[in-house]
Amino acid sequence: MTPYRIVLTGPESSGKTTLAQQLSKRLEAPLVPEFARTYLSALQKPYELADLAYLQRGQQAWEQFYQAQANNWLILDTDWTVYRIWLNHFSPGSNLLLPSRPWSLSFLCSPDIPWEYDPLREHPTKRNALFEEYKILLEGTGWPFKILSGNPEERLEQALQAIQQAFGR
């Protein structure tokens, strides 16, 4: 059986990783970490356009690895949407990155929580504008998604309710 793919997406510092960890624990599901965090932390130079395509390929490889370990659920801390938005800002109009497999349900995390500094984050003042870009991108896929907002506990409850409604579990 192919596991349900639950994706977390949205602007930086919007609670994706926290919620992904909570869902992974609650659903007893493998969590696909963010490949970019590992790659960019080890990169000894500023990233370039070519790195974005490599990052997406790395993320997809990790998805395949973790999917092989999954039963009912696979939680993805990020997916192609993050790379698509990143690419649009790095190289507007580029079509290098295309969607991977569709998700079963995606959660778009609202930037209504405080921004936290991280050396890999770049846009503390553009989170609302980026959120709107994500929303438009997700709407264009036709795939199911839900916007989450509030504190981490509220987001977890909203996500679990959406999963229950979508999959009866």
Side-chain angles (χ1 to χ4, degrees):
M1 176 184 147
T2 302
Y4 293 111
R5 296 166 46 84
I6 308 296
V7 171
L8 287 292
T9 193
E12 61 189 20
S13 194
S14 62
K16 296 182 296 290
T17 299
T18 298
L19 182 56
Q21 291 168 344
Q22 291 172 320
L23 287 172
S24 174
K25 183 177 180 180
R26 183 67 72 93
L27 298 174
E28 298 178 354
L31 169 60
V32 181
E34 184 181 9
F35 180 80
R37 181 158 293 283
T38 299
Y39 179 85
L40 294 175
S41 293
L43 193 63
Q44 300 296 314
K45 62 179 183 63
Y47 66 88
E48 300 171 351
L49 181 60
D51 290 311
L52 295 181
Y54 181 78
L55 289 170
Q56 186 182 21
R57 287 193 307 272
Q59 188 69 41
Q60 289 172 337
W62 279 16
E63 287 176 27
Q64 290 175 348
F65 173 79
Y66 284 94
Q67 183 166 320
Q69 302 173 39
N71 290 321
N72 297 320
W73 308 100
L74 181 65
I75 310 300
L76 291 86
D77 186 0
T78 193
D79 79 331
W80 69 271
T81 58
V82 173
Y83 298 110
R84 178 83 238 167
I85 297 295
W86 200 354
L87 179 64
N88 287 346
H89 285 265
F90 196 88
S91 179
S94 177
N95 288 320
L96 288 176
L97 304 178
L98 301 174
S100 57
R101 293 183 312 269
W103 53 72
S104 304
L105 182 59
S106 182
F107 294 115
L108 173 56
C109 296
S110 175
D112 63 343
I113 58 175
W115 186 82
E116 293 182 19
Y117 172 78
D118 182 304
L120 297 178
R121 294 183 178 150
E122 301 175 316
H123 303 291
T125 62
K126 296 181 180 179
R127 293 188 312 148
N128 290 327
L130 289 168
F131 175 81
E132 291 303 319
E133 289 182 43
Y134 279 99
K135 185 177 174 195
I136 290 167
L137 179 61
L138 295 177
E139 290 169 344
T141 68
W143 302 340
F145 78 95
K146 178 169 178 50
I147 296 171
L148 302 180
S149 59
N151 66 43
E153 294 77 25
E154 292 168 330
R155 290 168 187 246
L156 176 60
E157 185 57 36
Q158 292 168 36
L160 292 171
Q161 286 178 3
I163 289 168
Q164 172 67 30
Q165 289 173 347
F167 310 110
R169 298 179 181 201

PDB file of all heavy atoms in Angstrom, residues 2 5 8 11 42-43 47 71 82 85-86 88 92 102 107 111 122 126 153-154 158:
ATOM      1  N   THR A   2       0.561   2.190  -0.838  1.00  0.00           N
ATOM      2  CA  THR A   2       1.278   3.460  -0.857  1.00  0.00           C
ATOM      3  C   THR A   2       0.771   4.318   0.295  1.00  0.00           C
ATOM      4  O   THR A   2      -0.443   4.476   0.460  1.00  0.00           O
ATOM      5  CB  THR A   2       1.038   4.192  -2.188  1.00  0.00           C
ATOM      6  OG1 THR A   2       1.469   3.353  -3.251  1.00  0.00           O
ATOM      7  CG2 THR A   2       1.790   5.499  -2.236  1.00  0.00           C
ATOM      8  N   ARG A   5       0.555  10.776   1.679  1.00  0.00           N
ATOM      9  CA  ARG A   5       1.636  11.772   1.731  1.00  0.00           C
ATOM     10  C   ARG A   5       1.079  13.078   2.305  1.00  0.00           C
ATOM     11  O   ARG A   5       0.266  13.732   1.666  1.00  0.00           O
ATOM     12  CB  ARG A   5       2.212  11.995   0.338  1.00  0.00           C
ATOM     13  CG  ARG A   5       2.884  10.768  -0.238  1.00  0.00           C
ATOM     14  CD  ARG A   5       3.144  10.882  -1.742  1.00  0.00           C
ATOM     15  NE  ARG A   5       3.722  12.136  -2.146  1.00  0.00           N
ATOM     16  CZ  ARG A   5       5.037  12.418  -2.119  1.00  0.00           C
ATOM     17  NH1 ARG A   5       5.891  11.503  -1.720  1.00  0.00           N
ATOM     18  NH2 ARG A   5       5.480  13.590  -2.504  1.00  0.00           N
ATOM     19  N   LEU A   8       3.945  19.552   4.516  1.00  0.00           N
ATOM     20  CA  LEU A   8       3.924  20.849   5.178  1.00  0.00           C
ATOM     21  C   LEU A   8       4.644  21.832   4.275  1.00  0.00           C
ATOM     22  O   LEU A   8       5.751  21.551   3.806  1.00  0.00           O
ATOM     23  CB  LEU A   8       4.638  20.791   6.534  1.00  0.00           C
ATOM     24  CG  LEU A   8       3.936  20.066   7.680  1.00  0.00           C
ATOM     25  CD1 LEU A   8       2.722  20.795   8.122  1.00  0.00           C
ATOM     26  CD2 LEU A   8       3.706  18.622   7.450  1.00  0.00           C
ATOM     27  N   PRO A  11       5.873  29.776   3.974  1.00  0.00           N
ATOM     28  CA  PRO A  11       7.055  30.616   4.102  1.00  0.00           C
ATOM     29  C   PRO A  11       7.935  30.197   5.276  1.00  0.00           C
ATOM     30  O   PRO A  11       7.503  29.463   6.165  1.00  0.00           O
ATOM     31  CB  PRO A  11       6.491  32.022   4.308  1.00  0.00           C
ATOM     32  CG  PRO A  11       5.069  31.857   4.657  1.00  0.00           C
ATOM     33  CD  PRO A  11       4.631  30.505   4.204  1.00  0.00           C
ATOM     34  N   ALA A  42      26.078  22.615   4.959  1.00  0.00           N
ATOM     35  CA  ALA A  42      27.410  22.101   4.634  1.00  0.00           C
ATOM     36  C   ALA A  42      28.058  22.837   3.467  1.00  0.00           C
ATOM     37  O   ALA A  42      29.265  22.717   3.258  1.00  0.00           O
ATOM     38  CB  ALA A  42      27.326  20.607   4.301  1.00  0.00           C
ATOM     39  N   LEU A  43      27.287  23.609   2.712  1.00  0.00           N
ATOM     40  CA  LEU A  43      27.807  24.308   1.541  1.00  0.00           C
ATOM     41  C   LEU A  43      28.795  25.392   1.982  1.00  0.00           C
ATOM     42  O   LEU A  43      28.499  26.175   2.881  1.00  0.00           O
ATOM     43  CB  LEU A  43      26.643  24.925   0.756  1.00  0.00           C
ATOM     44  CG  LEU A  43      26.929  25.424  -0.645  1.00  0.00           C
ATOM     45  CD1 LEU A  43      27.354  24.273  -1.556  1.00  0.00           C
ATOM     46  CD2 LEU A  43      25.690  26.109  -1.217  1.00  0.00           C
ATOM     47  N   TYR A  47      24.707  29.748  -2.213  1.00  0.00           N
ATOM     48  CA  TYR A  47      24.058  28.859  -3.173  1.00  0.00           C
ATOM     49  C   TYR A  47      23.820  29.589  -4.489  1.00  0.00           C
ATOM     50  O   TYR A  47      23.742  30.813  -4.537  1.00  0.00           O
ATOM     51  CB  TYR A  47      22.764  28.261  -2.606  1.00  0.00           C
ATOM     52  CG  TYR A  47      21.653  29.252  -2.351  1.00  0.00           C
ATOM     53  CD1 TYR A  47      20.739  29.581  -3.351  1.00  0.00           C
ATOM     54  CD2 TYR A  47      21.484  29.840  -1.104  1.00  0.00           C
ATOM     55  CE1 TYR A  47      19.721  30.481  -3.124  1.00  0.00           C
ATOM     56  CE2 TYR A  47      20.466  30.733  -0.866  1.00  0.00           C
ATOM     57  CZ  TYR A  47      19.581  31.044  -1.888  1.00  0.00           C
ATOM     58  OH  TYR A  47      18.573  31.934  -1.653  1.00  0.00           O
ATOM     59  N   ASN A  71       4.221   2.952   6.396  1.00  0.00           N
ATOM     60  CA  ASN A  71       3.062   2.077   6.277  1.00  0.00           C
ATOM     61  C   ASN A  71       1.866   2.898   5.806  1.00  0.00           C
ATOM     62  O   ASN A  71       1.561   2.926   4.639  1.00  0.00           O
ATOM     63  CB  ASN A  71       2.762   1.375   7.600  1.00  0.00           C
ATOM     64  CG  ASN A  71       3.816   0.337   7.935  1.00  0.00           C
ATOM     65  OD1 ASN A  71       4.292  -0.357   7.044  1.00  0.00           O
ATOM     66  ND2 ASN A  71       4.190   0.239   9.194  1.00  0.00           N
ATOM     67  N   VAL A  82       8.152  24.561  -2.047  1.00  0.00           N
ATOM     68  CA  VAL A  82       9.133  25.462  -1.440  1.00  0.00           C
ATOM     69  C   VAL A  82      10.219  25.815  -2.458  1.00  0.00           C
ATOM     70  O   VAL A  82      10.600  26.979  -2.607  1.00  0.00           O
ATOM     71  CB  VAL A  82       9.746  24.825  -0.170  1.00  0.00           C
ATOM     72  CG1 VAL A  82      10.893  25.667   0.364  1.00  0.00           C
ATOM     73  CG2 VAL A  82       8.680  24.637   0.895  1.00  0.00           C
ATOM     74  N   ILE A  85       8.806  28.273  -5.174  1.00  0.00           N
ATOM     75  CA  ILE A  85       8.748  29.669  -4.715  1.00  0.00           C
ATOM     76  C   ILE A  85      10.153  30.242  -4.621  1.00  0.00           C
ATOM     77  O   ILE A  85      10.419  31.372  -5.047  1.00  0.00           O
ATOM     78  CB  ILE A  85       8.019  29.772  -3.347  1.00  0.00           C
ATOM     79  CG1 ILE A  85       6.556  29.327  -3.464  1.00  0.00           C
ATOM     80  CG2 ILE A  85       8.140  31.176  -2.763  1.00  0.00           C
ATOM     81  CD1 ILE A  85       5.669  30.189  -4.331  1.00  0.00           C
ATOM     82  N   TRP A  86      11.077  29.461  -4.082  1.00  0.00           N
ATOM     83  CA  TRP A  86      12.465  29.883  -3.959  1.00  0.00           C
ATOM     84  C   TRP A  86      13.023  30.210  -5.344  1.00  0.00           C
ATOM     85  O   TRP A  86      13.661  31.243  -5.548  1.00  0.00           O
ATOM     86  CB  TRP A  86      13.238  28.727  -3.328  1.00  0.00           C
ATOM     87  CG  TRP A  86      14.535  29.023  -2.675  1.00  0.00           C
ATOM     88  CD1 TRP A  86      15.229  30.204  -2.648  1.00  0.00           C
ATOM     89  CD2 TRP A  86      15.327  28.089  -1.945  1.00  0.00           C
ATOM     90  NE1 TRP A  86      16.392  30.050  -1.943  1.00  0.00           N
ATOM     91  CE2 TRP A  86      16.475  28.766  -1.507  1.00  0.00           C
ATOM     92  CE3 TRP A  86      15.176  26.755  -1.627  1.00  0.00           C
ATOM     93  CZ2 TRP A  86      17.474  28.137  -0.771  1.00  0.00           C
ATOM     94  CZ3 TRP A  86      16.162  26.141  -0.893  1.00  0.00           C
ATOM     95  CH2 TRP A  86      17.300  26.830  -0.460  1.00  0.00           C
ATOM     96  N   ASN A  88      11.335  31.052  -8.040  1.00  0.00           N
ATOM     97  CA  ASN A  88      10.684  32.247  -8.589  1.00  0.00           C
ATOM     98  C   ASN A  88      11.367  33.525  -8.108  1.00  0.00           C
ATOM     99  O   ASN A  88      11.409  34.518  -8.828  1.00  0.00           O
ATOM    100  CB  ASN A  88       9.207  32.281  -8.199  1.00  0.00           C
ATOM    101  CG  ASN A  88       8.392  31.265  -8.953  1.00  0.00           C
ATOM    102  OD1 ASN A  88       8.839  30.694  -9.945  1.00  0.00           O
ATOM    103  ND2 ASN A  88       7.193  31.011  -8.465  1.00  0.00           N
ATOM    104  N   PRO A  92      13.209  34.599 -11.704  1.00  0.00           N
ATOM    105  CA  PRO A  92      11.809  34.723 -12.122  1.00  0.00           C
ATOM    106  C   PRO A  92      11.578  34.175 -13.535  1.00  0.00           C
ATOM    107  O   PRO A  92      12.383  34.383 -14.438  1.00  0.00           O
ATOM    108  CB  PRO A  92      11.551  36.230 -12.074  1.00  0.00           C
ATOM    109  CG  PRO A  92      12.544  36.745 -11.085  1.00  0.00           C
ATOM    110  CD  PRO A  92      13.764  35.874 -11.258  1.00  0.00           C
ATOM    111  N   PRO A 102       1.832  13.881  -6.600  1.00  0.00           N
ATOM    112  CA  PRO A 102       0.865  14.646  -5.815  1.00  0.00           C
ATOM    113  C   PRO A 102       0.843  14.194  -4.356  1.00  0.00           C
ATOM    114  O   PRO A 102       1.145  13.053  -4.063  1.00  0.00           O
ATOM    115  CB  PRO A 102      -0.485  14.343  -6.478  1.00  0.00           C
ATOM    116  CG  PRO A 102      -0.240  13.372  -7.548  1.00  0.00           C
ATOM    117  CD  PRO A 102       1.220  13.085  -7.629  1.00  0.00           C
ATOM    118  N   PHE A 107      -0.591  20.969   4.049  1.00  0.00           N
ATOM    119  CA  PHE A 107      -0.924  22.010   5.008  1.00  0.00           C
ATOM    120  C   PHE A 107      -0.060  23.227   4.711  1.00  0.00           C
ATOM    121  O   PHE A 107       1.170  23.139   4.735  1.00  0.00           O
ATOM    122  CB  PHE A 107      -0.703  21.538   6.442  1.00  0.00           C
ATOM    123  CG  PHE A 107      -1.634  20.435   6.845  1.00  0.00           C
ATOM    124  CD1 PHE A 107      -1.156  19.172   7.141  1.00  0.00           C
ATOM    125  CD2 PHE A 107      -3.002  20.656   6.911  1.00  0.00           C
ATOM    126  CE1 PHE A 107      -2.008  18.148   7.499  1.00  0.00           C
ATOM    127  CE2 PHE A 107      -3.875  19.642   7.266  1.00  0.00           C
ATOM    128  CZ  PHE A 107      -3.380  18.385   7.558  1.00  0.00           C
ATOM    129  N   PRO A 111       2.060  32.488   8.337  1.00  0.00           N
ATOM    130  CA  PRO A 111       3.152  33.133   9.080  1.00  0.00           C
ATOM    131  C   PRO A 111       2.644  33.995  10.231  1.00  0.00           C
ATOM    132  O   PRO A 111       3.150  35.089  10.475  1.00  0.00           O
ATOM    133  CB  PRO A 111       3.830  33.973   7.996  1.00  0.00           C
ATOM    134  CG  PRO A 111       2.715  34.369   7.095  1.00  0.00           C
ATOM    135  CD  PRO A 111       1.777  33.175   7.076  1.00  0.00           C
ATOM    136  N   GLU A 122      15.994  33.939   4.951  1.00  0.00           N
ATOM    137  CA  GLU A 122      16.367  35.139   4.203  1.00  0.00           C
ATOM    138  C   GLU A 122      15.311  36.240   4.171  1.00  0.00           C
ATOM    139  O   GLU A 122      15.631  37.358   3.807  1.00  0.00           O
ATOM    140  CB  GLU A 122      16.669  34.764   2.742  1.00  0.00           C
ATOM    141  CG  GLU A 122      17.775  33.760   2.596  1.00  0.00           C
ATOM    142  CD  GLU A 122      17.978  33.323   1.153  1.00  0.00           C
ATOM    143  OE1 GLU A 122      16.983  33.069   0.457  1.00  0.00           O
ATOM    144  OE2 GLU A 122      19.130  33.257   0.744  1.00  0.00           O
ATOM    145  N   LYS A 126       9.052  39.422   4.442  1.00  0.00           N
ATOM    146  CA  LYS A 126       8.264  39.076   3.253  1.00  0.00           C
ATOM    147  C   LYS A 126       7.379  37.848   3.462  1.00  0.00           C
ATOM    148  O   LYS A 126       6.839  37.297   2.506  1.00  0.00           O
ATOM    149  CB  LYS A 126       9.193  38.825   2.069  1.00  0.00           C
ATOM    150  CG  LYS A 126       9.981  40.034   1.641  1.00  0.00           C
ATOM    151  CD  LYS A 126      10.849  39.706   0.447  1.00  0.00           C
ATOM    152  CE  LYS A 126      11.642  40.927   0.027  1.00  0.00           C
ATOM    153  NZ  LYS A 126      12.512  40.629  -1.114  1.00  0.00           N
ATOM    154  N   GLU A 153      -0.138  24.164  19.110  1.00  0.00           N
ATOM    155  CA  GLU A 153      -1.157  23.209  19.542  1.00  0.00           C
ATOM    156  C   GLU A 153      -2.418  23.333  18.692  1.00  0.00           C
ATOM    157  O   GLU A 153      -3.039  22.333  18.328  1.00  0.00           O
ATOM    158  CB  GLU A 153      -1.490  23.413  21.033  1.00  0.00           C
ATOM    159  CG  GLU A 153      -0.342  23.083  21.980  1.00  0.00           C
ATOM    160  CD  GLU A 153       0.744  24.174  22.030  1.00  0.00           C
ATOM    161  OE1 GLU A 153       0.449  25.359  21.739  1.00  0.00           O
ATOM    162  OE2 GLU A 153       1.894  23.821  22.325  1.00  0.00           O
ATOM    163  N   GLU A 154      -2.802  24.582  18.377  1.00  0.00           N
ATOM    164  CA  GLU A 154      -3.976  24.801  17.525  1.00  0.00           C
ATOM    165  C   GLU A 154      -3.744  24.241  16.125  1.00  0.00           C
ATOM    166  O   GLU A 154      -4.641  23.635  15.533  1.00  0.00           O
ATOM    167  CB  GLU A 154      -4.310  26.294  17.445  1.00  0.00           C
ATOM    168  CG  GLU A 154      -4.797  26.869  18.757  1.00  0.00           C
ATOM    169  CD  GLU A 154      -4.863  28.390  18.771  1.00  0.00           C
ATOM    170  OE1 GLU A 154      -4.051  29.043  18.060  1.00  0.00           O
ATOM    171  OE2 GLU A 154      -5.717  28.923  19.496  1.00  0.00           O
ATOM    172  N   GLN A 158      -5.914  21.376  14.237  1.00  0.00           N
ATOM    173  CA  GLN A 158      -6.502  21.618  12.913  1.00  0.00           C
ATOM    174  C   GLN A 158      -6.049  20.551  11.915  1.00  0.00           C
ATOM    175  O   GLN A 158      -6.851  20.042  11.121  1.00  0.00           O
ATOM    176  CB  GLN A 158      -6.101  22.996  12.393  1.00  0.00           C
ATOM    177  CG  GLN A 158      -6.681  24.164  13.147  1.00  0.00           C
ATOM    178  CD  GLN A 158      -5.998  25.468  12.761  1.00  0.00           C
ATOM    179  OE1 GLN A 158      -5.629  25.687  11.614  1.00  0.00           O
ATOM    180  NE2 GLN A 158      -5.835  26.350  13.740  1.00  0.00           N
TER     181      GLN A 158
END
